[in-house]
Coordinates of all heavy atoms in Angstrom, one line a residue:
M387 N 78.1 169.1 -122.8 CA 77.1 169.4 -123.8 C 76.1 170.4 -123.2 O 75.6 170.2 -122.1 CB 76.4 168.1 -124.2 CG 75.2 168.3 -125.1 SD 74.5 166.7 -125.4 CE 73.3 167.1 -126.6
T388 N 75.8 171.4 -123.9 CA 74.9 172.4 -123.4 C 73.8 172.7 -124.4 O 74.0 172.4 -125.6 CB 75.6 173.8 -123.0 OG1 76.1 174.3 -124.2 CG2 76.6 173.6 -121.9
G389 N 72.7 173.1 -124.0 CA 71.5 173.4 -124.9 C 71.8 174.5 -125.9 O 71.1 174.6 -126.8
G390 N 72.7 175.4 -125.6 CA 73.0 176.4 -126.5 C 73.4 175.9 -127.9 O 73.2 176.6 -128.9
N391 N 73.9 174.7 -128.0 CA 74.2 174.1 -129.2 C 73.0 173.3 -129.8 O 73.1 172.8 -130.9 CB 75.4 173.1 -129.0 CG 76.6 173.8 -128.5 OD1 76.8 175.0 -128.8 ND2 77.4 173.2 -127.7
Q392 N 72.0 173.1 -129.1 CA 70.8 172.4 -129.6 C 69.7 173.3 -130.0 O 69.5 174.3 -129.4 CB 70.3 171.4 -128.4 CG 71.4 170.4 -127.9 CD 71.8 169.5 -129.0 OE1 71.1 169.1 -129.9 NE2 73.1 169.1 -129.0
K393 N 68.9 172.8 -130.9 CA 67.7 173.6 -131.4 C 66.5 173.2 -130.5 O 66.5 172.1 -130.0 CB 67.5 173.3 -132.8 CG 68.6 173.8 -133.8 CD 68.2 173.5 -135.2 CE 69.3 174.0 -136.1 NZ 69.0 173.8 -137.5
W394 N 65.6 174.0 -130.5 CA 64.3 173.7 -129.9 C 63.6 172.7 -130.7 O 63.7 172.7 -132.0 CB 63.4 175.0 -129.8 CG 63.8 175.8 -128.7 CD1 64.8 176.8 -128.7 CD2 63.3 175.8 -127.3 NE1 64.9 177.4 -127.5 CE2 64.0 176.8 -126.6 CE3 62.4 175.0 -126.7 CZ2 63.8 177.0 -125.3 CZ3 62.2 175.3 -125.3 CH2 62.9 176.3 -124.6
H395 N 62.9 171.7 -130.1 CA 62.2 170.7 -130.8 C 60.7 171.0 -130.6 O 60.2 171.2 -129.5 CB 62.6 169.3 -130.2 CG 61.7 168.2 -130.7 ND1 60.7 167.6 -130.0 CD2 61.7 167.6 -131.9 CE1 60.2 166.7 -130.7 NE2 60.7 166.7 -131.9
S396 N 60.0 171.0 -131.7 CA 58.5 171.1 -131.7 C 57.8 169.8 -131.9 O 58.2 169.0 -132.8 CB 58.1 172.1 -132.8 OG 58.6 173.4 -132.6
Y397 N 56.8 169.5 -131.1 CA 56.1 168.3 -131.1 C 54.6 168.6 -131.0 O 54.1 169.2 -130.1 CB 56.5 167.5 -129.8 CG 56.0 166.1 -129.7 CD1 56.4 165.1 -130.5 CD2 55.0 165.8 -128.8 CE1 55.9 163.8 -130.4 CE2 54.4 164.5 -128.7 CZ 54.9 163.5 -129.5 OH 54.4 162.2 -129.4
T398 N 53.9 168.3 -132.1 CA 52.5 168.6 -132.2 C 51.6 167.5 -131.7 O 51.9 166.3 -132.0 CB 52.1 168.9 -133.7 OG1 53.0 170.0 -134.2 CG2 50.7 169.3 -133.8
I399 N 50.6 167.8 -130.9 CA 49.7 166.9 -130.4 C 48.3 167.3 -130.8 O 48.0 168.5 -130.8 CB 49.7 166.9 -128.9 CG1 51.1 166.6 -128.3 CG2 48.6 166.0 -128.3 CD1 51.4 165.3 -127.8
I400 N 47.5 166.3 -131.2 CA 46.0 166.6 -131.5 C 45.3 165.9 -130.4 O 45.5 164.7 -130.1 CB 45.6 166.0 -132.9 CG1 46.4 166.7 -134.0 CG2 44.1 166.2 -133.0 CD1 46.2 166.1 -135.3
V401 N 44.4 166.6 -129.7 CA 43.7 166.1 -128.5 C 42.8 165.0 -128.9 O 41.9 165.1 -129.8 CB 42.9 167.3 -127.8 CG1 42.2 166.7 -126.6 CG2 43.9 168.4 -127.4
K402 N 42.9 163.9 -128.2 CA 42.1 162.7 -128.4 C 41.0 162.6 -127.4 O 41.1 163.2 -126.3 CB 42.9 161.4 -128.3 CG 44.2 161.4 -129.1 CD 43.9 161.4 -130.6 CE 45.2 161.2 -131.5 NZ 46.2 162.2 -131.4
P403 N 39.9 161.9 -127.7 CA 38.8 161.9 -126.8 C 39.2 161.3 -125.4 O 38.7 161.9 -124.4 CB 37.8 160.9 -127.4 CG 38.1 161.0 -128.9 CD 39.6 161.3 -129.0
H404 N 40.0 160.4 -125.3 CA 40.4 159.8 -124.0 C 41.3 160.7 -123.2 O 41.6 160.4 -122.0 CB 41.1 158.4 -124.2 CG 42.4 158.5 -125.0 ND1 42.4 158.4 -126.3 CD2 43.6 158.6 -124.5 CE1 43.7 158.5 -126.7 NE2 44.5 158.6 -125.7
E405 N 41.7 161.8 -123.7 CA 42.5 162.8 -123.0 C 41.7 163.9 -122.4 O 42.3 164.8 -121.8 CB 43.6 163.3 -123.9 CG 44.6 162.3 -124.4 CD 45.5 162.7 -125.6 OE1 45.0 163.5 -126.4 OE2 46.6 162.2 -125.6
T406 N 40.4 163.8 -122.5 CA 39.5 164.9 -122.1 C 38.6 164.5 -120.9 O 38.5 163.3 -120.7 CB 38.7 165.4 -123.2 OG1 37.8 164.4 -123.7 CG2 39.5 166.0 -124.4
T407 N 38.1 165.4 -120.2 CA 37.1 165.2 -119.1 C 35.7 165.1 -119.7 O 35.6 165.3 -120.9 CB 37.2 166.3 -118.1 OG1 36.6 167.5 -118.8 CG2 38.5 166.6 -117.6
Y408 N 34.8 164.8 -118.9 CA 33.4 164.8 -119.4 C 32.9 166.1 -119.9 O 31.9 166.2 -120.6 CB 32.5 164.3 -118.3 CG 32.4 165.2 -117.1 CD1 31.4 166.2 -117.0 CD2 33.3 165.1 -116.0 CE1 31.3 167.0 -115.9 CE2 33.2 166.0 -114.9 CZ 32.2 166.9 -114.9 OH 32.1 167.8 -113.8
K409 N 33.6 167.2 -119.6 CA 33.3 168.5 -120.2 C 34.0 168.8 -121.5 O 34.0 169.9 -121.9 CB 33.6 169.6 -119.1 CG 32.7 169.6 -117.9 CD 32.9 170.8 -117.0 CE 31.9 170.8 -115.9 NZ 32.1 172.0 -115.1
N410 N 34.7 167.8 -122.0 CA 35.4 167.9 -123.3 C 36.6 168.8 -123.3 O 36.9 169.4 -124.3 CB 34.4 168.3 -124.4 CG 35.0 168.2 -125.8 OD1 35.8 167.4 -126.0 ND2 34.5 169.1 -126.7
I411 N 37.2 169.0 -122.1 CA 38.5 169.7 -122.0 C 39.6 168.8 -121.6 O 39.3 167.8 -120.9 CB 38.4 170.9 -121.1 CG1 38.0 170.5 -119.6 CG2 37.4 171.9 -121.6 CD1 38.1 171.6 -118.6
V412 N 40.8 169.1 -121.9 CA 41.9 168.2 -121.6 C 42.1 168.1 -120.1 O 42.1 169.2 -119.4 CB 43.2 168.8 -122.2 CG1 44.4 168.0 -121.7 CG2 43.1 168.7 -123.7
W413 N 42.2 166.9 -119.6 CA 42.5 166.7 -118.2 C 43.9 167.2 -117.9 O 44.8 166.9 -118.7 CB 42.3 165.2 -117.9 CG 42.7 164.8 -116.5 CD1 42.0 165.2 -115.3 CD2 43.8 164.0 -116.1 NE1 42.7 164.7 -114.2 CE2 43.8 163.9 -114.7 CE3 44.9 163.4 -116.7 CZ2 44.7 163.2 -113.9 CZ3 45.8 162.7 -116.0 CH2 45.7 162.6 -114.6
H414 N 44.1 167.9 -116.8 CA 45.4 168.5 -116.5 C 46.6 167.6 -116.5 O 47.7 167.9 -116.9 CB 45.3 169.3 -115.2 CG 45.1 168.5 -114.0 ND1 43.9 168.0 -113.6 CD2 46.0 168.0 -113.1 CE1 44.0 167.2 -112.5 NE2 45.3 167.2 -112.2
G415 N 46.4 166.3 -116.0 CA 47.5 165.3 -116.0 C 48.0 164.9 -117.4 O 49.1 164.4 -117.5
T416 N 47.2 165.2 -118.4 CA 47.5 164.8 -119.8 C 48.7 165.6 -120.2 O 49.6 165.1 -121.0 CB 46.3 165.0 -120.7 OG1 45.3 164.2 -120.2 CG2 46.7 164.6 -122.1
Y417 N 48.9 166.9 -119.8 CA 50.0 167.7 -120.2 C 51.3 167.1 -119.9 O 52.3 167.1 -120.6 CB 49.9 169.1 -119.6 CG 48.7 169.9 -120.1 CD1 47.5 170.0 -119.4 CD2 48.7 170.5 -121.4 CE1 46.4 170.7 -119.9 CE2 47.7 171.2 -121.9 CZ 46.5 171.3 -121.1 OH 45.5 172.0 -121.6
L418 N 51.4 166.5 -118.7 CA 52.7 165.8 -118.3 C 53.0 164.6 -119.2 O 54.1 164.5 -119.6 CB 52.6 165.4 -116.8 CG 53.9 164.7 -116.3 CD1 55.1 165.6 -116.4 CD2 53.7 164.3 -114.9
K419 N 52.0 163.8 -119.5 CA 52.2 162.7 -120.5 C 52.7 163.3 -121.8 O 53.6 162.7 -122.4 CB 50.9 162.0 -120.7 CG 50.4 161.2 -119.5 CD 49.1 160.4 -119.8 CE 48.6 159.7 -118.6 NZ 47.4 159.0 -118.9
W420 N 52.1 164.3 -122.3 CA 52.5 164.9 -123.6 C 54.0 165.4 -123.5 O 54.7 165.2 -124.4 CB 51.6 166.0 -124.0 CG 50.2 165.6 -124.4 CD1 49.8 164.4 -124.7 CD2 49.1 166.5 -124.5 NE1 48.5 164.4 -125.1 CE2 48.0 165.7 -124.9 CE3 48.9 167.8 -124.3 CZ2 46.7 166.2 -125.2 CZ3 47.6 168.3 -124.5 CH2 46.6 167.5 -125.0
M421 N 54.3 166.0 -122.4 CA 55.7 166.5 -122.2 C 56.7 165.4 -122.3 O 57.7 165.5 -122.8 CB 55.8 167.4 -121.0 CG 55.0 168.7 -121.1 SD 54.9 169.6 -119.5 CE 56.6 170.0 -119.3
E422 N 56.3 164.3 -121.6 CA 57.2 163.1 -121.6 C 57.3 162.6 -123.0 O 58.4 162.2 -123.5 CB 56.7 162.1 -120.7 CG 57.6 160.9 -120.5 CD 59.0 161.2 -119.9 OE1 59.3 162.3 -119.6 OE2 59.8 160.2 -119.8
S423 N 56.2 162.5 -123.8 CA 56.3 162.0 -125.2 C 57.2 162.9 -126.0 O 58.0 162.4 -126.8 CB 54.9 162.0 -125.8 OG 54.1 161.0 -125.1
A424 N 57.1 164.2 -125.8 CA 57.9 165.2 -126.6 C 59.4 165.0 -126.2 O 60.3 165.0 -127.1 CB 57.5 166.6 -126.3
R425 N 59.7 164.8 -124.9 CA 61.1 164.6 -124.5 C 61.7 163.3 -125.1 O 62.8 163.3 -125.6 CB 61.1 164.5 -123.0 CG 62.5 164.4 -122.4 CD 62.5 164.5 -120.9 NE 62.0 163.3 -120.3 CZ 62.5 162.8 -119.1 NH1 63.5 163.3 -118.5 NH2 61.9 161.7 -118.6
I426 N 60.9 162.2 -125.1 CA 61.4 161.0 -125.6 C 61.6 161.1 -127.2 O 62.6 160.6 -127.7 CB 60.4 159.8 -125.3 CG1 60.5 159.5 -123.8 CG2 60.8 158.6 -126.1 CD1 59.4 158.6 -123.3
E427 N 60.7 161.8 -127.8 CA 60.9 162.0 -129.3 C 62.1 162.8 -129.6 O 62.9 162.6 -130.5 CB 59.6 162.6 -129.9 CG 59.7 163.0 -131.3 CD 59.9 161.7 -132.2 OE1 59.7 160.6 -131.8 OE2 60.2 161.9 -133.4
Y428 N 62.3 163.9 -128.8 CA 63.5 164.7 -128.9 C 64.8 163.9 -128.7 O 65.8 164.0 -129.5 CB 63.5 165.9 -128.0 CG 64.5 167.0 -128.2 CD1 65.1 167.2 -129.5 CD2 64.9 167.8 -127.2 CE1 66.0 168.2 -129.7 CE2 65.9 168.7 -127.4 CZ 66.4 169.0 -128.6 OH 67.4 169.9 -128.8
L429 N 64.8 163.1 -127.7 CA 66.0 162.2 -127.5 C 66.2 161.3 -128.7 O 67.4 161.1 -129.1 CB 65.8 161.4 -126.2 CG 65.9 162.1 -124.9 CD1 65.4 161.2 -123.7 CD2 67.3 162.7 -124.6
R430 N 65.1 160.8 -129.2 CA 65.3 159.9 -130.4 C 65.9 160.6 -131.6 O 66.8 160.1 -132.2 CB 63.9 159.3 -130.8 CG 63.9 158.3 -131.9 CD 62.6 157.9 -132.4 NE 61.9 159.0 -133.1 CZ 62.2 159.4 -134.4 NH1 63.1 158.7 -135.1 NH2 61.6 160.4 -135.0
L431 N 65.5 161.9 -131.8 CA 66.0 162.7 -132.8 C 67.5 163.0 -132.6 O 68.3 163.2 -133.6 CB 65.2 164.0 -133.0 CG 63.8 163.8 -133.6 CD1 63.1 165.1 -133.5 CD2 63.8 163.2 -135.0
L432 N 67.9 163.0 -131.3 CA 69.3 163.3 -131.0 C 70.2 162.0 -131.1 O 71.4 162.0 -130.8 CB 69.4 163.8 -129.6 CG 68.9 165.3 -129.4 CD1 69.0 165.6 -127.9 CD2 69.7 166.3 -130.2
G433 N 69.5 160.9 -131.4 CA 70.2 159.6 -131.5 C 70.3 158.8 -130.2 O 71.0 157.8 -130.1
I434 N 69.5 159.2 -129.2 CA 69.4 158.5 -128.0 C 68.2 157.6 -127.9 O 67.1 158.1 -128.0 CB 69.4 159.5 -126.8 CG1 70.6 160.4 -126.8 CG2 69.3 158.8 -125.4 CD1 70.6 161.6 -125.9
D435 N 68.4 156.3 -127.9 CA 67.3 155.3 -127.9 C 66.9 155.0 -126.5 O 67.5 154.3 -125.7 CB 67.8 154.0 -128.5 CG 66.7 153.0 -128.7 OD1 65.5 153.3 -128.4 OD2 67.0 151.8 -129.0
Y436 N 65.7 155.6 -126.1 CA 65.2 155.5 -124.8 C 64.9 154.1 -124.4 O 65.2 153.6 -123.3 CB 63.9 156.3 -124.7 CG 63.3 156.5 -123.3 CD1 63.8 157.6 -122.5 CD2 62.4 155.6 -122.8 CE1 63.3 157.7 -121.2 CE2 61.9 155.8 -121.5 CZ 62.3 156.8 -120.7 OH 61.8 157.0 -119.5
T437 N 64.4 153.3 -125.3 CA 64.1 151.9 -125.0 C 65.3 151.1 -124.6 O 65.3 150.3 -123.7 CB 63.4 151.2 -126.2 OG1 62.2 152.0 -126.5 CG2 63.0 149.8 -125.9
S438 N 66.4 151.3 -125.4 CA 67.7 150.6 -125.1 C 68.2 151.0 -123.7 O 68.7 150.1 -122.9 CB 68.7 150.9 -126.1 OG 68.4 150.4 -127.3
I439 N 68.0 152.3 -123.3 CA 68.5 152.7 -122.0 C 67.7 152.0 -120.9 O 68.3 151.5 -119.9 CB 68.4 154.2 -121.9 CG1 69.4 154.9 -122.8 CG2 68.5 154.7 -120.5 CD1 69.2 156.4 -123.0
V440 N 66.4 152.0 -121.1 CA 65.5 151.3 -120.1 C 65.8 149.8 -120.0 O 65.9 149.2 -118.9 CB 64.0 151.6 -120.3 CG1 63.1 150.8 -119.4 CG2 63.7 153.1 -120.2
C441 N 66.0 149.2 -121.1 CA 66.3 147.7 -121.2 C 67.6 147.4 -120.5 O 67.9 146.3 -120.1 CB 66.2 147.2 -122.6 SG 64.5 147.1 -123.2
S442 N 68.5 148.4 -120.5 CA 69.8 148.2 -119.8 C 69.7 148.4 -118.3 O 70.8 148.3 -117.6 CB 70.8 149.2 -120.4 OG 71.0 149.0 -121.8
G443 N 68.6 148.7 -117.8 CA 68.4 148.9 -116.4 C 68.5 150.4 -115.9 O 68.5 150.6 -114.7
Y444 N 68.5 151.3 -116.8 CA 68.6 152.7 -116.5 C 67.2 153.4 -116.8 O 66.4 152.9 -117.6 CB 69.7 153.4 -117.2 CG 71.1 152.8 -116.8 CD1 71.6 151.9 -117.7 CD2 71.7 153.1 -115.7 CE1 72.9 151.3 -117.4 CE2 72.9 152.6 -115.4 CZ 73.5 151.6 -116.2 OH 74.7 151.1 -115.9
D445 N 67.1 154.6 -116.3 CA 65.9 155.4 -116.7 C 66.1 156.9 -116.5 O 67.1 157.2 -115.9 CB 64.7 155.0 -115.8 CG 63.3 155.2 -116.4 OD1 63.3 156.0 -117.4 OD2 62.4 154.7 -115.9
F446 N 65.3 157.7 -117.0 CA 65.4 159.1 -116.9 C 64.3 159.5 -115.8 O 63.1 159.4 -116.1 CB 65.1 159.9 -118.2 CG 66.2 159.7 -119.2 CD1 66.0 158.9 -120.3 CD2 67.4 160.4 -119.1 CE1 67.0 158.7 -121.2 CE2 68.4 160.3 -120.0 CZ 68.2 159.4 -121.1
V447 N 64.7 159.8 -114.6 CA 63.8 160.2 -113.6 C 63.5 161.7 -113.5 O 64.5 162.4 -113.6 CB 64.3 159.7 -112.2 CG1 63.4 160.0 -111.1 CG2 64.6 158.2 -112.2
I448 N 62.3 162.1 -113.4 CA 62.0 163.5 -113.3 C 62.1 163.9 -111.9 O 61.4 163.3 -111.0 CB 60.5 163.8 -113.9 CG1 60.5 163.5 -115.3 CG2 60.2 165.2 -113.6 CD1 59.1 163.6 -116.0
V449 N 63.0 164.8 -111.6 CA 63.2 165.2 -110.2 C 62.4 166.5 -109.8 O 61.9 166.6 -108.8 CB 64.7 165.4 -109.9 CG1 65.0 166.0 -108.6 CG2 65.5 164.2 -110.2
S450 N 62.3 167.4 -110.8 CA 61.6 168.6 -110.6 C 60.8 168.9 -111.9 O 61.3 168.7 -113.0 CB 62.6 169.7 -110.3 OG 61.9 171.0 -110.2
F451 N 59.6 169.5 -111.7 CA 58.8 169.8 -112.9 C 57.9 171.0 -112.6 O 57.4 171.2 -111.5 CB 57.9 168.5 -113.1 CG 56.7 168.7 -114.0 CD1 56.9 168.7 -115.3 CD2 55.5 168.8 -113.4 CE1 55.8 168.9 -116.1 CE2 54.4 169.0 -114.2 CZ 54.5 169.0 -115.6
S452 N 57.8 171.8 -113.6 CA 56.8 172.9 -113.5 C 56.3 173.2 -115.0 O 57.0 172.9 -115.9 CB 57.4 174.2 -112.9 OG 58.4 174.7 -113.8
M453 N 55.1 173.7 -115.1 CA 54.5 174.0 -116.4 C 53.5 175.1 -116.3 O 53.0 175.4 -115.2 CB 53.9 172.8 -117.0 CG 52.6 172.3 -116.4 SD 51.9 171.0 -117.3 CE 50.2 171.1 -116.7
S454 N 53.2 175.7 -117.4 CA 52.1 176.7 -117.5 C 51.1 176.1 -118.5 O 51.5 175.7 -119.6 CB 52.7 178.0 -118.0 OG 53.6 178.6 -117.1
C455 N 49.9 176.1 -118.1 CA 48.9 175.6 -119.0 C 48.5 176.7 -120.0 O 48.7 177.9 -119.8 CB 47.6 175.2 -118.2 SG 47.9 173.7 -117.2
P456 N 47.9 176.3 -121.2 CA 47.5 177.2 -122.1 C 46.4 178.2 -121.5 O 45.7 177.8 -120.6 CB 46.8 176.4 -123.2 CG 47.4 175.0 -123.1 CD 47.7 174.9 -121.6
P457 N 46.3 179.4 -122.0 CA 45.4 180.4 -121.4 C 43.9 180.0 -121.5 O 43.1 180.3 -120.7 CB 45.6 181.7 -122.2 CG 46.4 181.3 -123.4 CD 47.1 180.0 -123.1
K458 N 43.6 179.1 -122.5 CA 42.2 178.6 -122.6 C 42.3 177.1 -122.7 O 43.3 176.5 -123.2 CB 41.5 179.2 -123.8 CG 41.9 178.7 -125.1 CD 41.1 179.2 -126.3 CE 41.4 178.5 -127.6 NZ 40.6 177.3 -127.8
P459 N 41.3 176.4 -122.1 CA 41.4 174.9 -122.1 C 41.3 174.4 -123.5 O 40.7 174.9 -124.4 CB 40.1 174.6 -121.4 CG 39.6 175.8 -120.7 CD 40.1 176.9 -121.4
L460 N 42.1 173.3 -123.7 CA 42.1 172.6 -125.0 C 40.9 171.7 -125.1 O 40.6 171.1 -124.0 CB 43.4 171.9 -125.2 CG 44.6 172.7 -125.5 CD1 45.9 171.9 -125.4 CD2 44.5 173.4 -126.8
R461 N 40.4 171.5 -126.2 CA 39.2 170.6 -126.4 C 39.6 169.5 -127.4 O 40.6 169.6 -128.2 CB 38.0 171.4 -126.8 CG 37.6 172.4 -125.8 CD 36.3 173.0 -126.1 NE 35.9 174.0 -125.1 CZ 35.4 173.7 -123.9 NH1 35.1 172.5 -123.6 NH2 35.1 174.6 -123.0
M462 N 38.7 168.5 -127.5 CA 38.9 167.4 -128.4 C 39.2 167.9 -129.9 O 38.5 168.9 -130.3 CB 37.7 166.5 -128.5 CG 37.9 165.1 -128.1 SD 36.5 164.0 -128.3 CE 35.3 164.8 -127.2
E463 N 40.1 167.3 -130.5 CA 40.5 167.6 -131.9 C 41.3 168.9 -132.1 O 41.7 169.2 -133.2 CB 39.3 167.6 -132.9 CG 38.6 166.3 -132.9 CD 39.4 165.1 -133.4 OE1 40.2 165.3 -134.4 OE2 39.3 164.0 -132.9
E464 N 41.5 169.7 -131.0 CA 42.3 170.8 -131.1 C 43.8 170.4 -131.1 O 44.1 169.3 -130.6 CB 42.1 171.8 -130.0 CG 40.7 172.5 -130.1 CD 40.5 173.6 -129.1 OE1 41.0 173.5 -128.0 OE2 39.7 174.5 -129.4
D465 N 44.7 171.2 -131.5 CA 46.1 170.8 -131.5 C 46.9 171.8 -130.6 O 46.5 172.9 -130.4 CB 46.7 170.6 -132.9 CG 46.7 171.9 -133.6 OD1 46.0 172.9 -133.3 OD2 47.5 172.0 -134.6
I466 N 48.0 171.3 -130.2 CA 49.0 172.1 -129.4 C 50.4 171.7 -129.8 O 50.6 170.5 -130.2 CB 48.7 171.8 -127.8 CG1 49.7 172.7 -127.0 CG2 49.0 170.4 -127.5 CD1 49.4 172.7 -125.5
V467 N 51.3 172.7 -129.8 CA 52.6 172.4 -130.1 C 53.5 172.6 -128.9 O 53.5 173.6 -128.2 CB 53.2 173.4 -131.2 CG1 54.6 173.1 -131.5 CG2 52.3 173.2 -132.5
L468 N 54.1 171.5 -128.5 CA 55.0 171.5 -127.3 C 56.4 171.7 -127.8 O 56.9 171.2 -128.8 CB 55.0 170.2 -126.6 CG 53.6 169.7 -126.1 CD1 53.7 168.3 -125.5 CD2 53.1 170.7 -125.1
E469 N 57.1 172.6 -127.2 CA 58.5 172.9 -127.5 C 59.4 172.5 -126.4 O 59.2 172.8 -125.2 CB 58.7 174.4 -127.9 CG 57.9 174.8 -129.1 CD 58.2 176.2 -129.5 OE1 58.5 177.0 -128.7 OE2 58.0 176.5 -130.7
S470 N 60.5 171.8 -126.7 CA 61.4 171.4 -125.7 C 62.9 171.6 -126.1 O 63.1 171.7 -127.3 CB 61.3 169.9 -125.3 OG 61.4 169.1 -126.5
N471 N 63.7 171.8 -125.1 CA 65.1 172.0 -125.4 C 66.0 171.4 -124.3 O 65.7 171.6 -123.1 CB 65.4 173.5 -125.5 CG 66.8 173.9 -125.8 OD1 67.5 173.1 -126.4 ND2 67.2 175.1 -125.5
L472 N 67.0 170.7 -124.7 CA 67.9 170.2 -123.7 C 68.9 171.3 -123.4 O 69.7 171.7 -124.2 CB 68.7 168.9 -124.3 CG 69.7 168.3 -123.4 CD1 69.0 167.8 -122.1 CD2 70.3 167.1 -124.2
E473 N 68.8 171.8 -122.2 CA 69.6 173.0 -121.8 C 71.0 172.6 -121.4 O 71.9 173.3 -121.7 CB 68.9 173.7 -120.6 CG 67.7 174.4 -120.9 CD 67.1 175.3 -119.8 OE1 67.9 175.6 -118.9 OE2 65.9 175.6 -119.8
E474 N 71.1 171.5 -120.6 CA 72.5 171.2 -120.1 C 72.6 169.7 -119.8 O 71.6 169.1 -119.3 CB 72.8 172.1 -118.9 CG 74.1 171.9 -118.4 CD 74.4 172.9 -117.2 OE1 73.4 173.6 -116.8 OE2 75.5 172.9 -116.7
V475 N 73.7 169.1 -119.9 CA 74.0 167.8 -119.5 C 75.2 167.9 -118.5 O 76.3 168.4 -118.9 CB 74.4 166.8 -120.6 CG1 74.8 165.5 -120.1 CG2 73.2 166.7 -121.6
K476 N 75.0 167.5 -117.3 CA 76.0 167.5 -116.2 C 76.1 166.1 -115.7 O 75.3 165.6 -114.9 CB 75.7 168.4 -115.1 CG 75.6 169.9 -115.5 CD 75.5 170.8 -114.3 CE 74.2 170.7 -113.6 NZ 74.0 171.7 -112.5
G477 N 77.1 165.3 -116.1 CA 77.3 164.0 -115.7 C 76.1 163.1 -116.2 O 75.9 163.0 -117.4
V478 N 75.4 162.6 -115.2 CA 74.2 161.8 -115.6 C 72.9 162.6 -115.6 O 71.8 162.1 -115.8 CB 74.0 160.6 -114.7 CG1 75.2 159.6 -114.8 CG2 73.8 161.0 -113.2
Q479 N 73.0 163.9 -115.3 CA 71.8 164.8 -115.2 C 71.6 165.5 -116.5 O 72.5 166.1 -117.1 CB 72.1 165.8 -114.0 CG 70.9 166.6 -113.8 CD 71.1 167.6 -112.6 OE1 72.3 168.1 -112.5 NE2 70.1 167.9 -111.8
M480 N 70.3 165.5 -117.0 CA 69.9 166.3 -118.1 C 68.9 167.3 -117.7 O 67.9 167.0 -117.1 CB 69.3 165.4 -119.2 CG 70.2 164.3 -119.7 SD 69.3 163.2 -120.8 CE 70.0 163.7 -122.4
I481 N 69.2 168.6 -118.0 CA 68.3 169.7 -117.6 C 67.6 170.1 -118.8 O 68.2 170.5 -119.8 CB 69.1 170.8 -116.9 CG1 69.8 170.3 -115.7 CG2 68.2 172.0 -116.6 CD1 70.8 171.2 -115.1
W482 N 66.2 170.1 -118.8 CA 65.4 170.4 -119.9 C 64.8 171.8 -119.7 O 64.5 172.2 -118.6 CB 64.3 169.4 -120.1 CG 64.8 168.1 -120.5 CD1 65.3 167.1 -119.7 CD2 64.9 167.6 -121.8 NE1 65.7 166.0 -120.4 CE2 65.5 166.3 -121.7 CE3 64.6 168.1 -123.1 CZ2 65.7 165.5 -122.8 CZ3 64.8 167.3 -124.2 CH2 65.4 166.0 -124.1

C-alpha cells in the first residue's frame, strides 16, 4: 500500500484556551498533539480502529518527527487545518 493511492486528509482544529500560553499563543507542544489527533482520525476514516489495536497490545510509535510551525503564532479561537497523508506502508511501518 502506498500513499499515491490515498487522498490527503484535512483535519480542522479551533484553538482552545488550555492550548495557549499566558500570552494567548499556542504552546509549541500542542502542535504534536494535534498532529497525533489528525493521524488517528485519518486511520479511523481508513477503517483502522486505533483503540482496538492498542487494546490488542500494539501501538503506533513515532520514530522520527519534524514540522514547520505557521508563519504567525496561532491565538485562542483561531483555526488551523492540518493535512496528513499516509505515504507508504512497509511491513509494520507506516510512513506519513
Side-chain angles (χ1 to χ4, degrees):
M387 175 180 187
T388 62
N391 300 329
Q392 301 297 325
K393 294 181 180 179
W394 283 87
H395 173 253
S396 296
Y397 185 75
T398 303
I399 304 259
I400 298 173
V401 179
K402 309 293 187 297
H404 64 274
E405 297 168 326
T406 62
T407 67
Y408 65 93
K409 291 187 176 185
N410 189 29
I411 61 172
V412 171
W413 176 67
H414 65 279
T416 301
Y417 292 101
L418 180 57
K419 291 180 183 181
W420 289 345
M421 290 172 66
E422 184 65 0
S423 295
R425 182 173 75 141
I426 290 170
E427 178 63 14
Y428 188 29
L429 288 171
R430 186 187 70 76
L431 292 173
L432 293 174
I434 300 170
D435 183 12
Y436 190 88
T437 303
S438 295
I439 291 169
V440 172
C441 289
S442 297
Y444 300 98
D445 206 344
F446 292 104
V447 178
I448 297 173
V449 176
S450 178
F451 164 78
S452 67
M453 72 173 199
S454 297
C455 291
K458 70 175 191 88
L460 289 169
R461 299 190 179 279
M462 237 184 303
E463 298 299 318
E464 290 183 333
D465 63 342
I466 184 171
V467 177
L468 303 176
E469 294 183 335
S470 57
N471 182 23
L472 180 57
E473 289 186 19
E474 186 177 4
V475 176
K476 295 191 294 187
V478 297
Q479 184 181 35
M480 299 175 106
I481 301 170
W482 293 84

